[in-house]
Structure formats: structure tokens, C-alpha cells
């Protein structure tokens, strides 16, 4: 297994695809997706365009759909939900499809949607992702951070590091043997320094501060938890993710 970490979707190679792509958007899209599916949501369908989201979801009965829209960290007016995992409780989402559009996460998913296998990861479902990689042993794995509007984000790279760190422990390979690029080594180092204080790390992150300004304290608390959801969101057809069993 060769692991590659890319800090943003824009940094991924354009001429080749991995056997397995893992998209990470800790604050908050991939945390929210894991929570929706863990709470009994039928599927998550992602859109970059809000109008297309509205149009597509119209063909679903109101009680079978939820529309989630986020721009700049805030909920889009007229949508059922923003991008908070805390809103995705079973009473709201069970049996429903979540139609979602967010600032960064949806872009990352689109960038690698043609990969053979596409899954999403956050701190909350890290162990499930690692277990899947250990079981399937894909030859090439890209972990793609969503970043923030094209630039590096602390929390996504730390989560990539959390996955890589765990793989080093589980495979018995050295970081050197596992790493396909320098970013893997730097991601592991970042995670290793902050693993006992991930909430502190999220407070340092630019987007963490942005969410705190929008009263997102509880979201940060939730997103900083590791290995609490045994769920693996996997793309079934382009833009549609379901829980992989």
C-alpha cells in the first residue's frame, strides 16, 4: 500500500487516479456525512451548485429528503439544515436522503469521483476507515483534504495524519515504506503532536475560528472526537454516498 496525502483537491494529480480515494473535510462536511449515515439516513447526495440541489431534490417526497446548504460556515437561507453534525439526529434524518452542498467538501469529492473506490473520513470514523484499508489493502491510496477555498487547512491534514499514523501501527510498515509523498510524513508529525488535544488544534485552525465566531463551539467539540462512529460512507454512483457494510 502506498499512501499519498494532498492538502487540497487542487493539488491532486490530474492524469492518474488512485485505487482508493479518501476525502476529508473535518469541519464539517465529512463529519456530518458520517453522522447522517450513522443516524439512519438513506444516502448523502452532494452538489456544488445550490440550484441543481434544489431542482434534483424536488423529485423526492418532502418526508424523504433533507436539504443541507452551507456557504462560508453559515446555513443557506431556505434550507432545512446547515452543515452541523449535531443537527443530524435519527428523529430528523432516519430513512431520508440528505442533499448537501458545502463550500469545500463537495469540491474535493468531485475532484476524485472517478476513483475506483471513494470513501470519506473524519476523526469521528477514523478507525473504520483504517480497518477498511487493512482489509482491502488497496495499492494506492490518496487522502485528499478539502482545505479552505484552495488553501491548506490544519484539521484536514491532521486527520490525514491520524489515518496514516494508525496505518503505520496496524501494518507494521515504517512511515517511510508507507509514504508516497512528503506530505504523509508531515501529516503524521502534525497529528502526533496534537493527538491528545485535537480540540485545541481545531481552535487554532482558521476555519475553527470562523465557526467559533458563528457560535460553533459544540460543533468543534463533536468534530474533535476520534473513533466514535462505526460508519464508512462510500460512493455508490457519482455524487451519492451510502454506508458501506
Amino acid at each position: 500500500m502506498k499512501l499519498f496525502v494532498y492538502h487540497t483537491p487542487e493539488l491532486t494529480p490530474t492524469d492518474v487516479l488512485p485505487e482508493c480515494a479518501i476525502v476529508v473535510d473535518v469541519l464539517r462536511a465529512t463529519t456530518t456525512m458520517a453522522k447522517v449515515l450513522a443516524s439512519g439516513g438513506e444516502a448523502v447526495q452532494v452538489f456544488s451548485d445550490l440550484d441543481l440541489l434544489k431542482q434534483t431534490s424536488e423529485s423526492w417526497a418532502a418526508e424523504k429528503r433533507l436539504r443541507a446548504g452551507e456557504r462560508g460556515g453559515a446555513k443557506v437561507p431556505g434550507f432545512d439544515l446547515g452543515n452541523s453534525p449535531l443537527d443530524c439526529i435519527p428523529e430528523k434524518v432516519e430513512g431520508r436522503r440528505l442533499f448537501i452542498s458545502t463550500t469545500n467538501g463537495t469540491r474535493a469529492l468531485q475532484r476524485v469521483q472517478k476513483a475506483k473506490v471513494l470513501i470519506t473520513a473524519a476523526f469521528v470514523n477514523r478507525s473504520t476507515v483504517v480497518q477498511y484499508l487493512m482489509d482491502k489493502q488497496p495499492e494506492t491510496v490518496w487522502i485528499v483534504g478539502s482545505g479552505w477555498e484552495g488553501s491548506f487547512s490544519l484539521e484536514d491534514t491532521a486527520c490525514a495524519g491520524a489515518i496514516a499514523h494508525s496505518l503505520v501501527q496496524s501494518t507494521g510498515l515504517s512511515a517511510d515504506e508507507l509514504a508516497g509523498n512528503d506530505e504523509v510524513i508531515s501529516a503524521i508529525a502534525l497529528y502526533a503532536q496534537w493527538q491528545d488535544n485535537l480540540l485545541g488544534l481545531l481552535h487554532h485552525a482558521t476555519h475553527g475560528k470562523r465557526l467559533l465566531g458563528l457560535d460553533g463551539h459544540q460543533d468543534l467539540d463533536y468534530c474533535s472526537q476520534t473513533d466514535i462512529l462505526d460508519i464508512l460512507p462510500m460512493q455508490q454512483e457519482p455524487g451519492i454516498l451510502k454506508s458501506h457494510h
Side-chain angles (χ1 to χ4, degrees):
M1 193 185 323
K2 269 292 181 210
L3 193 58
F4 297 80
V5 167
Y6 297 102
H7 299 309
T8 66
E10 290 76 13
L11 290 168
T12 56
T14 49
D15 54 343
V16 39
L17 281 166
E19 195 176 328
C20 176
I22 304 171
V23 167
V24 176
D25 188 0
V26 171
L27 295 176
R28 292 161 294 169
T30 59
T31 304
T32 298
M33 288 171 190
K35 181 72 159 52
V36 165
L37 295 173
S39 299
E42 178 263 338
V44 174
Q45 191 162 350
V46 294
F47 297 83
S48 48
D49 182 80
L50 292 167
D51 290 331
L52 188 60
L53 184 161
K54 284 185 187 160
Q55 204 183 321
T56 309
S57 59
E58 276 302 316
S59 61
W60 286 67
E63 67 278 5
K64 286 287 182 197
R65 67 170 189 232
L66 276 173
R67 295 167 173 163
E70 170 266 321
R71 288 293 180 269
K75 174 176 174 285
V76 176
F79 278 66
D80 303 312
L81 304 169
N83 187 19
S84 171
L86 298 173
D87 289 337
C88 301
I89 50 175
E91 302 83 277
K92 273 192 190 170
V93 305
E94 203 160 358
R96 293 180 160 197
R97 175 169 294 203
L98 186 79
F99 295 85
I100 187 170
S101 180
T102 73
T103 311
N104 302 293
T106 36
R107 204 167 67 228
L109 284 161
Q110 285 178 329
R111 186 75 178 223
V112 286
Q113 71 176 15
K114 291 188 169 74
K116 197 165 146 195
V117 174
L118 173 55
I119 56 182
T120 68
F123 288 118
V124 290
N125 69 331
R126 178 205 45 184
S127 56
T128 314
V129 169
V130 170
Q131 190 54 58
Y132 175 81
L133 295 173
M134 292 301 296
D135 291 346
K136 299 291 182 204
Q137 293 288 327
E139 222 163 289
T140 50
V141 180
W142 291 2
I143 306 178
V144 183
S146 297
W148 179 262
E149 296 183 345
S151 60
F152 175 92
S153 75
L154 216 44
E155 67 280 3
D156 291 346
T157 298
C159 183
I163 295 167
H165 181 269
S166 195
L167 280 172
V168 166
Q169 290 177 321
S170 308
T171 57
L173 294 170
S174 69
D176 255 2
E177 291 168 307
L178 196 64
N181 63 1
D182 286 4
E183 286 88 332
V184 176
I185 308 295
S186 76
I188 292 173
L190 177 65
Y191 173 70
Q193 179 166 348
W194 287 94
Q195 58 183 337
D196 298 324
N197 184 17
L198 291 173
L199 182 59
L201 179 82
L202 297 190
H203 277 256
H204 279 299
T206 329
H207 191 45
K209 290 177 181 162
R210 192 180 287 112
L211 290 173
L212 288 171
L214 296 162
D215 202 22
H217 290 80
Q218 291 176 300
D219 272 2
L220 292 198
D221 290 348
Y222 188 84
C223 294
S224 69
Q225 298 179 87
T226 308
D227 306 338
I228 56 166
L229 299 177
D230 180 18
I231 207 88
L232 188 68
M234 184 180 282
Q235 180 172 263
Q236 305 294 322
E237 51 189 279
I240 298 173
L241 296 119
K242 294 192 176 189
S243 173
H244 173 76
H245 297 295

